[in-house]
Amino acid sequence: MPSYLMYIFDVAAASLVTLNALLLVTIFSRRFKLWPTPAERSWQHYTFWPLFRGGLGLTLLFSILTVGWPEGGPDTWRFLAGMICVVIGFGFTIYGYFDLGIENTYGADEGLVTGGLYRFSRNPQYVASILGFFGTGLANGSAQSAVLCGMAILVYVVLPYTEEPWLERAYGDVYADYKQRTPRFLFL
C-alpha cells in the first residue's frame, strides 16, 4: 500500500479513536462536555469539528481510494449490496439535513424537530449514516476500511448519548414526551 494511503488511514484512525474517547468521557463525566459544543468559538468547537469531519471524511476518502473493483462472483454481490447501503444511507443523511435544518444539524438550538424523518427515530441522520458507513466498508471489502468504518459507526452510536442530557435541559417535558414515543435509533 502506498505511503500516502497509510498516512490517510493513520490520520483517520487517530481522529476517530480520539473522537470516540472524548465522546465517551463526555457521557460519563459531569464536567467534561465535548458535544454538543457550547459555543461556536469554544475549545469544544475547535476540537469536535476537525476530529468529526476529518475522521469521517478521511474514512470515506481511504475507502474510495482503496476500493477493489469486483470482477465477478461473490465480490460483485458484496460490492453492489454495499453500494445500495451507501446510496440509501447517505441519501437519507442528506435529506435529514433539510428535515432538521442545517443549523440544528450543526448543534444550534432552533427548536425541537419531531416531524418528517424524526417521527420514526430521534436520530434518523445517525441511523442513515450508520447504514452509509456499513455500506462503505462492505463495498470496499478490505479489513482496513472495515476498521475505519466500524469506528465511524461507533461515533454515530455514541453521539445521541451525549446530546440527550442537553435536549432534556433545553426542551424539558416536550422532549421527555417525544423520547417516550420515538425510539433513539429505529427500534431502540
Side-chain angles (χ1 to χ4, degrees), residues 5-21:
L5 288 176
M6 284 309 303
Y7 178 75
I8 292 170
F9 176 85
D10 290 344
V11 174
S15 296
L16 292 171
V17 166
T18 303
L19 179 59
N20 277 311

Side-chain angles (χ1 to χ4, degrees), residues 1 3 14 16 37 39 41 43 55 57 70-71 83-84 86 89 91 96 99 106 113 117 121 124 126 141 154 169 174:
M1 180 178 300
S3 62
L16 292 171
T37 65
R41 297 192 187 276
W43 71 265
E71 296 183 19
M83 289 308 297
I84 289 169
V86 166
D99 225 9
Y106 294 123
V113 176
L117 294 176
S121 167
Y126 296 168
L154 183 59
R169 284 189 306 277
V174 173

Side-chain angles (χ1 to χ4, degrees), residues 29 35 52 62 78 81 87 91 101 132 144 149 156-157 187:
S29 172
W35 179 256
F52 182 80
F62 179 85
R78 174 194 45 78
V87 170
Q144 294 95 337
C149 289
Y156 288 109
V157 169
F187 307 106

Side-chain angles (χ1 to χ4, degrees), residues 14-149:
S15 296
L16 292 171
V17 166
T18 303
L19 179 59
N20 277 311
L22 293 173
L23 290 172
L24 289 170
V25 171
T26 296
I27 292 170
F28 296 109
S29 172
R30 291 187 181 162
R31 294 178 186 237
F32 182 88
K33 301 296 176 204
L34 179 67
W35 179 256
T37 65
E40 190 172 316
R41 297 192 187 276
S42 64
W43 71 265
Q44 292 96 330
H45 179 86
Y46 292 117
T47 302
F48 177 81
W49 287 113
L51 291 173
F52 182 80
R53 288 181 177 146
L56 299 177
L58 290 173
T59 294
L60 292 174
L61 179 63
F62 179 85
S63 296
I64 290 166
L65 293 175
T66 61
V67 69
W69 297 101
E71 296 183 19
D75 283 345
T76 300
W77 292 109
R78 174 194 45 78
F79 178 80
L80 289 175
M83 289 308 297
I84 289 169
C85 292
V86 166
V87 170
I88 293 170
F90 291 133
F92 273 104
T93 298
I94 292 166
Y95 179 79
Y97 283 123
F98 299 103
D99 225 9
L100 181 61
I102 297 294
E103 294 303 318
N104 270 351
T105 297
Y106 294 123
D109 182 9
E110 294 191 346
L112 183 65
V113 176
T114 61
L117 294 176
Y118 290 82
R119 291 176 297 163
F120 308 107
S121 167
R122 296 193 311 264
N123 301 285
Q125 288 175 290
Y126 296 168
V127 171
S129 293
I130 288 168
L131 180 62
F133 277 104
F134 172 79
T136 299
L138 186 62
N140 179 283
S142 75
Q144 294 95 337
S145 177
V147 166
L148 290 178
C149 289

